[in-house]
Amino acid sequence: MTGTVSVTPPRLILGSASPRRLDLLAQIGIKPADLRPADIDETPASGELPRDYVRRMALEKASALTVAEGEAVLTADTTVSVGRRILGKPEDRDEAARFMRLMSGRRHKVLTAIALRHADHSRVRLVETLVRMNPVDEPALQRYLDMGDWQGKAGGYAIQGAAAQFIPWIQGSFSAVVGLPLAETAAMLAAIGIHGGRQ
């Protein structure tokens, strides 16, 4: 008679303070056991390409956190790129305005990398989404900036926020633009025994 061996899945640690990422995990029925934001230098290296930058950020966040036995840490990084230019979180209203003018009337890429560290191994996945932004005239731009929704957002906007009025079309993962690609995240977590469902 053979019995099945029950393996306890690791405790999931979310290495982020982002309420959006927490909400996205809840959407697929996953509730982290703890939140541990990683404090790292997020300055791009000289000449660093956007794809390389987001991968490095996600992995560095995962590496910066202390992970006990029986724990797995999930980290992510999202950035906006226009060509080779990386648009991070704007420092002030003027920089947010520059970002929005740069993206106005053209397509840009939103890159989100997720890293999962467990049992001394780290895996990283990069998800790329193409986003089109309608032309944004100056009065509309100023009204948008007045709302303050650009603060703390890569590229100066959140697709699920006020900037949705400017975005008619995306190709790729909506949840990745928000901050966490759910299909890829669910697959990575399932591989180590963490599954969504009722909590």
Side-chain angles (χ1 to χ4, degrees), residues 105-185:
R106 62 190 295 191
R107 295 177 182 182
H108 61 271
K109 290 176 182 173
V110 177
L111 306 168
T112 295
I114 48 175
L116 183 63
R117 183 175 157 215
H118 172 246
D120 297 326
H121 297 290
S122 292
R123 293 184 58 206
V124 65
R125 286 282 303 271
L126 175 67
V127 177
E128 183 177 307
T129 305
L130 195 60
V131 179
R132 186 180 188 283
M133 187 173 286
N134 281 337
V136 181
D137 64 27
E138 201 60 25
L141 175 59
Q142 295 307 318
R143 286 193 298 271
Y144 169 74
L145 296 171
D146 287 344
M147 295 176 72
D149 200 45
W150 53 269
Q151 297 179 51
K153 312 292 195 324
Y157 80 91
I159 195 169
Q160 75 280 18
Q165 63 186 305
F166 307 130
I167 298 170
W169 176 90
I170 75 165
Q171 180 181 319
S173 169
F174 180 85
S175 62
V177 181
V178 178
L180 198 66
L182 288 180
E184 292 78 6
T185 299

Side-chain angles (χ1 to χ4, degrees), residues 12-158:
L12 179 63
I13 309 303
L14 179 61
S16 172
S18 166
R20 295 175 297 281
R21 291 190 175 121
L22 195 58
D23 288 347
L24 284 166
L25 283 175
Q27 190 177 316
I28 57 172
I30 292 175
K31 184 178 180 181
D34 195 11
L35 304 179
R36 294 181 201 159
D39 184 18
I40 64 168
D41 180 2
E42 299 190 25
T43 308
S46 177
E48 189 170 27
L49 294 174
R51 289 184 186 88
D52 297 333
Y53 169 74
V54 289
R55 280 195 197 98
R56 180 172 67 84
M57 287 296 98
L59 284 168
E60 284 191 9
K61 287 176 184 179
S63 298
L65 295 170
T66 301
V67 181
E69 188 175 346
E71 291 182 340
V73 65
L74 175 70
T75 57
D77 191 76
T78 300
T79 199
V80 172
S81 73
V82 178
R84 295 167 63 96
R85 184 172 174 182
I86 295 169
L87 307 187
K89 297 172 184 175
E91 292 186 5
D92 52 30
R93 180 187 174 110
D94 288 344
E95 187 168 45
R98 286 196 296 274
F99 287 175
M100 292 295 288
R101 290 185 188 112
L102 183 63
M103 294 181 289
S104 173
R106 62 190 295 191
R107 295 177 182 182
H108 61 271
K109 290 176 182 173
V110 177
L111 306 168
T112 295
I114 48 175
L116 183 63
R117 183 175 157 215
H118 172 246
D120 297 326
H121 297 290
S122 292
R123 293 184 58 206
V124 65
R125 286 282 303 271
L126 175 67
V127 177
E128 183 177 307
T129 305
L130 195 60
V131 179
R132 186 180 188 283
M133 187 173 286
N134 281 337
V136 181
D137 64 27
E138 201 60 25
L141 175 59
Q142 295 307 318
R143 286 193 298 271
Y144 169 74
L145 296 171
D146 287 344
M147 295 176 72
D149 200 45
W150 53 269
Q151 297 179 51
K153 312 292 195 324
Y157 80 91

